[in-house]
Amino acid sequence: MPPKEIVIVKKGGSSTTSDKKVIVKKKDSAVESSKGKSKSNKENQENQEIVEDKPQRIEPKKKFRPRKKDPKLDNLLESLTHSLTTETYECMVCYENIRSRDKVWSCETCFAVFHIKCINQWAEASVNQIAKNDPSNSAGAWRCPGCQNISQEVPRNYDCFCGKTRNPQFNRYTCPHTCGSTCAKDRGCAHKCPLQCHPGPCPPCDGYAKPMSCACMKGFLNLRCSQVAEADFTPSCGQDCDKLLNCGIHSCILTCHYAPCPKCKDTVEVECFCGQDTKQILCGEDPIKYSCGKKCPFVYDCGVHECQEVCHEYNHENTTCPLDPSIIIHCPCGKVPVAELSQARTSCQDTIPVCGNVCEKEMLCGHKCQEKCHLGECPPCELYTTAKCRCFRHREIVTPCKDLLADESGHVLPVLCDRICKVKMSCKNHVCNTQCCVDEKHECHLLCGKTLSCTKHTCLMTCGHEGPCHDCLEGVSFEELTCHCGRTVMYPPIPCNTAPPECNQPCRRARPCGHINNTPHYCHTDSEPCPPCMIFTEKRCACGDKIMKNIPCSRQTIPSCGGKCKINDLKCAHSCSRVCHDGPCIDANHPCTNKCGQVRSCGHVCKYSCHGTLECPETSECKEVIIQTCECGNHKKTRICGAFVGNPPKEVEPISCDDACLKKQRAEKMAAAMEINPANSIFRPLVGWAESLVRSALGFPTLVLQTEKILEELVSSSTTVYYFPQQRLTKANSLIADMCTQYGYKVEIVDEKIGKGNVIARKVPGMEPAIPPKLLSVVAKEYNPNDPMAEKYIIKPLLADVYSLPYGPHIPNALYMEDVNQDISTPEFIKFIEPFCISTEIHPKLYWLTDNSCFVLWEQSSTLTPTELQQQAENLLEMIHPELENTKMAMMCDLAFVTNNGLVLFDDGTFQSIKKRKVAKRNESGYGRESWKINITSWRNYGINIVN
């Protein structure tokens, strides 16, 4: 929480003085609270009144904050008087407080006070030490311990501060060590000090000095002596100076000042020597002309030739053409007169004849030109010369003459050696790197360039300057800096890059949404956003189907209605399956997940994922499986269509019938002649599946499907050995072993004598396993137990056991359970059944019929009547049936009777409906004796005791 503010009104004593408003920040620290407790509650109630806020004035932050002083000790005079009177002043020699009756001495420069004995010993020790070190120095000079001012006399007498009285008497009503008379010390003016004898410096004079003229000599000034004695005093009248500047034309516009007037900053226009160019120079500077660097435009009196020199200083007083016959009287080398070489020249345009001798003009390098007499400049010298370099580090340097250069006056410039100066510059940051350097000081003239504290500008001082970089002067502002609301002001000067002042007034920004500001907060800068608007509004969902209510105004994303998207902007033929969403229906993170579904050119439906287009591009092969049969349908062949763009479906040769087809057709004709229906056959598997194996598959349907899936994966893989998981029944292992043999595997059952055993399937070397044409699960599914032939071979022999039961088939002796959870082991299943069986007088055992069906069988009791035995069985069913449904341990549970041959009978009232294998559900009236249904299951395992 920001600190609270209390506006306190301090009421003045007089009626003319207006009340002052002072803003005080209330802090939570323990120190402030302890200070506040010292004030009485009555004073706080009288002096504190809460009023309205007003703009605050905030000064720029300073690096150093001066220590608070006692208002009574504003100057050195009052401080010394207070310390000496209260005997708290400490001698700087002995570090003891100076008493009122001690003899003291005061320095006339720093006004420090010492014991007379201490300062005497200090001075004598200093004088003796100086005399010992320098016997010639007998002046007796010593330094003050406070200001190091040199004094010539050793203090020995105790005088008052004004020096009028020696050994002043102590007076408790005046300052100690004073005489009580007027000070009357000279203060540098005509007025003496009017105070009573006092320690420290005399106060400034408040009297008026003699009238003096101002700096511009326009008037006279009447000032106090204290103003004249100030170090920065300037006798200024405040008017414009109006003195003539150095140019003698313009006047000084500064305020009356004592220093010399600055140079005139106005500019004037000056022409070059030839008059083709002009430039601006400061007014008052000597109007010296300059060379513009262009060719001189002067034309000689011949009217043909022009001056060939660059803009030059001297005037063309002699306007005669330099090629005039009166001037050119010798050949170019100057050895032969022109009259001896040819006819006399009559015009400056006549050719100047050459003599044919060697030129021999001296060139810049000192050699003579070896060319024949010629016009114009001599060609470059092809010889070499020796010269000293500029830095004189090398004695002689051999250089081509044509590389020599000359200055403006025609003197040869020194030759530069290859030495690169590696001396550090004066800044100690840069290296000279000058070729053939002759600089001795190596002063760095680069700028410092370091970033200033404002982080916007760089230092303008020279590189390697002493001390820290200067404060930023470029960005200082002399305008008021306010917060956003304008109620907190920082007055100039404002340092560069100063942030707006912190304001503790409420923010007054208007929200762009137009709602009221229901989240109060303090005024802040534009870089800090206001808290989000939390007013609830209504917005349409992303798909545009519904209008969503109670949506915060500040929410940037579009709300979702939760229903299916109805925009359907997909480029394919499908509709968007996503929940109402913001943004496009399909992007890099949300592709279309539907199948293509378009009909390809081959006539098949495309099964690939959506291509993102309205029509299937058919860039991939068609995966449709085509089944091709012979004419009779006995032989079948499957293949992949494989058609795509540029690859139409291939024509396949038809399958022709063979001998097997003829045998099948012959068997069908014989069956038709004998009026035999092949669909009523009890078992018609394909060649290879034994009838006993099909009967076993009827009791283990789930195991058969799992084994077929495992064997299918084994045939297509490179695995040579596979270990089947342990089964609950030995018969299940036998079933797995027989199935593996039909697939072409070598089978072994290990640990059969110890427990149920495990089946191990191995590939036969040199023989590849294969999947049978017709799976065992399909053959078992086609098995029809209601065929009349089933009664002949299976049902009738078992009916004798039904009528030979001791109590009749209506007395149950077992609890049958089907679709048992296969994730539960046998010990876990027994642990679940045991609590229910303990409460009865029967002794049950657990028998597994298949991998997911079993029954709990108990012996016929000789002590219980049939009615009591049936009641015990029904009680057991009522207890265990709800728990099986809740825990999903088994999906079906009912009472049954199990014969000695393993026949499982269910209570249905009669014994005629024994053909159906489906287990009858319990009717609403309970377990009546209306009919019987039979489940044919052969079982050859030993039961497991449930209750020990």
Side-chain angles (χ1 to χ4, degrees), residues 331-354:
C331 65
C333 66
K335 295 180 180 180
V336 181
V338 175
E340 298 178 2
L341 297 175
S342 63
Q343 297 180 358
R345 296 175 68 247
T346 59
S347 173
C348 63
Q349 299 182 14
D350 294 342
T351 304
I352 299 175
V354 294

mmCIF file of all heavy atoms in Angstrom, residues 331-354:
data_model
loop_
_atom_site.group_PDB
_atom_site.id
_atom_site.type_symbol
_atom_site.label_atom_id
_atom_site.label_comp_id
_atom_site.label_asym_id
_atom_site.label_seq_id
_atom_site.Cartn_x
_atom_site.Cartn_y
_atom_site.Cartn_z
ATOM 1 N N CYS A 331 65.493 29.985 -76.277
ATOM 2 C CA CYS A 331 64.796 28.696 -76.366
ATOM 3 C C CYS A 331 64.368 28.263 -74.974
ATOM 4 O O CYS A 331 64.787 28.862 -73.983
ATOM 5 C CB CYS A 331 65.708 27.658 -77.015
ATOM 6 S SG CYS A 331 67.201 27.265 -76.029
ATOM 7 N N PRO A 332 63.558 27.199 -74.839
ATOM 8 C CA PRO A 332 63.063 26.804 -73.515
ATOM 9 C C PRO A 332 64.162 26.500 -72.514
ATOM 10 O O PRO A 332 63.997 26.754 -71.322
ATOM 11 C CB PRO A 332 62.220 25.562 -73.819
ATOM 12 C CG PRO A 332 61.756 25.762 -75.212
ATOM 13 C CD PRO A 332 62.890 26.454 -75.925
ATOM 14 N N CYS A 333 65.320 25.967 -72.946
ATOM 15 C CA CYS A 333 66.387 25.675 -71.982
ATOM 16 C C CYS A 333 67.221 26.916 -71.684
ATOM 17 O O CYS A 333 68.031 26.905 -70.755
ATOM 18 C CB CYS A 333 67.284 24.551 -72.491
ATOM 19 S SG CYS A 333 68.237 24.976 -73.980
ATOM 20 N N GLY A 334 67.073 28.000 -72.468
ATOM 21 C CA GLY A 334 67.775 29.262 -72.202
ATOM 22 C C GLY A 334 69.193 29.320 -72.693
ATOM 23 O O GLY A 334 69.917 30.247 -72.326
ATOM 24 N N LYS A 335 69.603 28.397 -73.536
ATOM 25 C CA LYS A 335 70.992 28.380 -73.990
ATOM 26 C C LYS A 335 71.189 29.143 -75.313
ATOM 27 O O LYS A 335 72.238 29.739 -75.538
ATOM 28 C CB LYS A 335 71.464 26.938 -74.159
ATOM 29 C CG LYS A 335 71.521 26.146 -72.855
ATOM 30 C CD LYS A 335 71.986 24.728 -73.094
ATOM 31 C CE LYS A 335 72.038 23.937 -71.792
ATOM 32 N NZ LYS A 335 72.487 22.539 -72.015
ATOM 33 N N VAL A 336 70.214 29.123 -76.203
ATOM 34 C CA VAL A 336 70.368 29.717 -77.544
ATOM 35 C C VAL A 336 69.270 30.756 -77.742
ATOM 36 O O VAL A 336 68.100 30.488 -77.420
ATOM 37 C CB VAL A 336 70.276 28.632 -78.643
ATOM 38 C CG1 VAL A 336 70.467 29.249 -80.036
ATOM 39 C CG2 VAL A 336 71.312 27.541 -78.401
ATOM 40 N N PRO A 337 69.632 31.956 -78.280
ATOM 41 C CA PRO A 337 68.594 32.950 -78.570
ATOM 42 C C PRO A 337 67.660 32.461 -79.690
ATOM 43 O O PRO A 337 68.042 31.664 -80.545
ATOM 44 C CB PRO A 337 69.387 34.189 -79.004
ATOM 45 C CG PRO A 337 70.747 33.982 -78.442
ATOM 46 C CD PRO A 337 70.997 32.519 -78.466
ATOM 47 N N VAL A 338 66.427 32.971 -79.635
ATOM 48 C CA VAL A 338 65.419 32.564 -80.608
ATOM 49 C C VAL A 338 65.790 33.053 -82.008
ATOM 50 O O VAL A 338 65.535 32.387 -83.014
ATOM 51 C CB VAL A 338 64.029 33.086 -80.185
ATOM 52 C CG1 VAL A 338 62.985 32.790 -81.247
ATOM 53 C CG2 VAL A 338 63.624 32.500 -78.852
ATOM 54 N N ALA A 339 66.460 34.238 -82.089
ATOM 55 C CA ALA A 339 66.794 34.801 -83.397
ATOM 56 C C ALA A 339 67.769 33.918 -84.157
ATOM 57 O O ALA A 339 67.769 33.916 -85.402
ATOM 58 C CB ALA A 339 67.373 36.201 -83.219
ATOM 59 N N GLU A 340 68.610 33.147 -83.461
ATOM 60 C CA GLU A 340 69.558 32.282 -84.122
ATOM 61 C C GLU A 340 68.925 30.962 -84.569
ATOM 62 O O GLU A 340 69.512 30.255 -85.395
ATOM 63 C CB GLU A 340 70.739 31.976 -83.183
ATOM 64 C CG GLU A 340 71.524 33.207 -82.790
ATOM 65 C CD GLU A 340 72.655 32.855 -81.834
ATOM 66 O OE1 GLU A 340 72.810 31.639 -81.528
ATOM 67 O OE2 GLU A 340 73.358 33.780 -81.386
ATOM 68 N N LEU A 341 67.771 30.627 -84.031
ATOM 69 C CA LEU A 341 67.156 29.336 -84.356
ATOM 70 C C LEU A 341 66.176 29.419 -85.514
ATOM 71 O O LEU A 341 66.020 28.467 -86.279
ATOM 72 C CB LEU A 341 66.441 28.770 -83.132
ATOM 73 C CG LEU A 341 67.344 28.444 -81.931
ATOM 74 C CD1 LEU A 341 66.495 28.001 -80.747
ATOM 75 C CD2 LEU A 341 68.353 27.358 -82.305
ATOM 76 N N SER A 342 65.510 30.547 -85.675
ATOM 77 C CA SER A 342 64.488 30.643 -86.724
ATOM 78 C C SER A 342 64.243 32.118 -87.029
ATOM 79 O O SER A 342 64.922 33.009 -86.495
ATOM 80 C CB SER A 342 63.196 29.963 -86.270
ATOM 81 O OG SER A 342 62.675 30.625 -85.141
ATOM 82 N N GLN A 343 63.245 32.306 -87.822
ATOM 83 C CA GLN A 343 62.844 33.660 -88.144
ATOM 84 C C GLN A 343 62.279 34.330 -86.903
ATOM 85 O O GLN A 343 61.858 33.681 -85.949
ATOM 86 C CB GLN A 343 61.800 33.644 -89.261
ATOM 87 C CG GLN A 343 62.339 33.074 -90.577
ATOM 88 C CD GLN A 343 61.265 33.066 -91.662
ATOM 89 O OE1 GLN A 343 60.124 33.457 -91.425
ATOM 90 N NE2 GLN A 343 61.668 32.642 -92.865
ATOM 91 N N ALA A 344 62.283 35.602 -86.908
ATOM 92 C CA ALA A 344 61.798 36.367 -85.758
ATOM 93 C C ALA A 344 60.308 36.111 -85.530
ATOM 94 O O ALA A 344 59.526 36.040 -86.476
ATOM 95 C CB ALA A 344 62.067 37.848 -85.982
ATOM 96 N N ARG A 345 59.900 35.925 -84.218
ATOM 97 C CA ARG A 345 58.490 35.705 -83.837
ATOM 98 C C ARG A 345 57.794 37.051 -83.802
ATOM 99 O O ARG A 345 58.282 38.008 -83.217
ATOM 100 C CB ARG A 345 58.394 35.015 -82.483
ATOM 101 C CG ARG A 345 58.985 33.622 -82.485
ATOM 102 C CD ARG A 345 58.971 33.017 -81.088
ATOM 103 N NE ARG A 345 57.616 32.734 -80.585
ATOM 104 C CZ ARG A 345 57.046 33.352 -79.587
ATOM 105 N NH1 ARG A 345 57.713 34.295 -78.943
ATOM 106 N NH2 ARG A 345 55.806 33.049 -79.233
ATOM 107 N N THR A 346 56.633 37.118 -84.413
ATOM 108 C CA THR A 346 55.884 38.374 -84.478
ATOM 109 C C THR A 346 54.655 38.365 -83.584
ATOM 110 O O THR A 346 54.049 39.406 -83.364
ATOM 111 C CB THR A 346 55.438 38.623 -85.919
ATOM 112 O OG1 THR A 346 54.619 37.529 -86.361
ATOM 113 C CG2 THR A 346 56.663 38.749 -86.843
ATOM 114 N N SER A 347 54.267 37.203 -83.075
ATOM 115 C CA SER A 347 53.042 37.087 -82.262
ATOM 116 C C SER A 347 53.281 36.045 -81.155
ATOM 117 O O SER A 347 54.147 35.159 -81.267
ATOM 118 C CB SER A 347 51.851 36.671 -83.134
ATOM 119 O OG SER A 347 50.726 36.397 -82.327
ATOM 120 N N CYS A 348 52.447 36.181 -80.113
ATOM 121 C CA CYS A 348 52.547 35.215 -78.995
ATOM 122 C C CYS A 348 52.051 33.832 -79.412
ATOM 123 O O CYS A 348 52.285 32.842 -78.708
ATOM 124 C CB CYS A 348 51.783 35.717 -77.788
ATOM 125 S SG CYS A 348 49.999 35.908 -78.064
ATOM 126 N N GLN A 349 51.361 33.778 -80.556
ATOM 127 C CA GLN A 349 50.855 32.508 -81.030
ATOM 128 C C GLN A 349 51.860 31.753 -81.886
ATOM 129 O O GLN A 349 51.615 30.589 -82.227
ATOM 130 C CB GLN A 349 49.554 32.729 -81.816
ATOM 131 C CG GLN A 349 48.443 33.341 -81.003
ATOM 132 C CD GLN A 349 47.157 33.486 -81.810
ATOM 133 O OE1 GLN A 349 47.024 32.900 -82.889
ATOM 134 N NE2 GLN A 349 46.230 34.303 -81.310
ATOM 135 N N ASP A 350 52.986 32.384 -82.221
ATOM 136 C CA ASP A 350 54.014 31.704 -82.996
ATOM 137 C C ASP A 350 54.691 30.639 -82.153
ATOM 138 O O ASP A 350 54.827 30.780 -80.929
ATOM 139 C CB ASP A 350 55.046 32.713 -83.507
ATOM 140 C CG ASP A 350 54.431 33.688 -84.521
ATOM 141 O OD1 ASP A 350 53.345 33.349 -85.052
ATOM 142 O OD2 ASP A 350 55.008 34.756 -84.729
ATOM 143 N N THR A 351 55.121 29.569 -82.804
ATOM 144 C CA THR A 351 55.760 28.457 -82.100
ATOM 145 C C THR A 351 57.117 28.872 -81.576
ATOM 146 O O THR A 351 57.894 29.547 -82.269
ATOM 147 C CB THR A 351 55.919 27.259 -83.044
ATOM 148 O OG1 THR A 351 54.638 26.911 -83.580
ATOM 149 C CG2 THR A 351 56.499 26.054 -82.314
ATOM 150 N N ILE A 352 57.403 28.450 -80.361
ATOM 151 C CA ILE A 352 58.715 28.750 -79.769
ATOM 152 C C ILE A 352 59.672 27.669 -80.224
ATOM 153 O O ILE A 352 59.442 26.470 -79.993
ATOM 154 C CB ILE A 352 58.608 28.774 -78.234
ATOM 155 C CG1 ILE A 352 57.619 29.861 -77.788
ATOM 156 C CG2 ILE A 352 59.980 28.993 -77.602
ATOM 157 C CD1 ILE A 352 57.366 29.887 -76.305
ATOM 158 N N PRO A 353 60.763 28.010 -80.892
ATOM 159 C CA PRO A 353 61.691 26.993 -81.391
ATOM 160 C C PRO A 353 62.548 26.407 -80.260
ATOM 161 O O PRO A 353 62.762 27.044 -79.227
ATOM 162 C CB PRO A 353 62.556 27.778 -82.385
ATOM 163 C CG PRO A 353 62.526 29.177 -81.871
ATOM 164 C CD PRO A 353 61.164 29.386 -81.281
ATOM 165 N N VAL A 354 63.007 25.173 -80.427
ATOM 166 C CA VAL A 354 63.882 24.501 -79.473
ATOM 167 C C VAL A 354 65.248 24.319 -80.129
ATOM 168 O O VAL A 354 65.358 24.185 -81.361
ATOM 169 C CB VAL A 354 63.303 23.141 -79.061
ATOM 170 C CG1 VAL A 354 62.021 23.328 -78.279
ATOM 171 C CG2 VAL A 354 63.041 22.246 -80.254
#
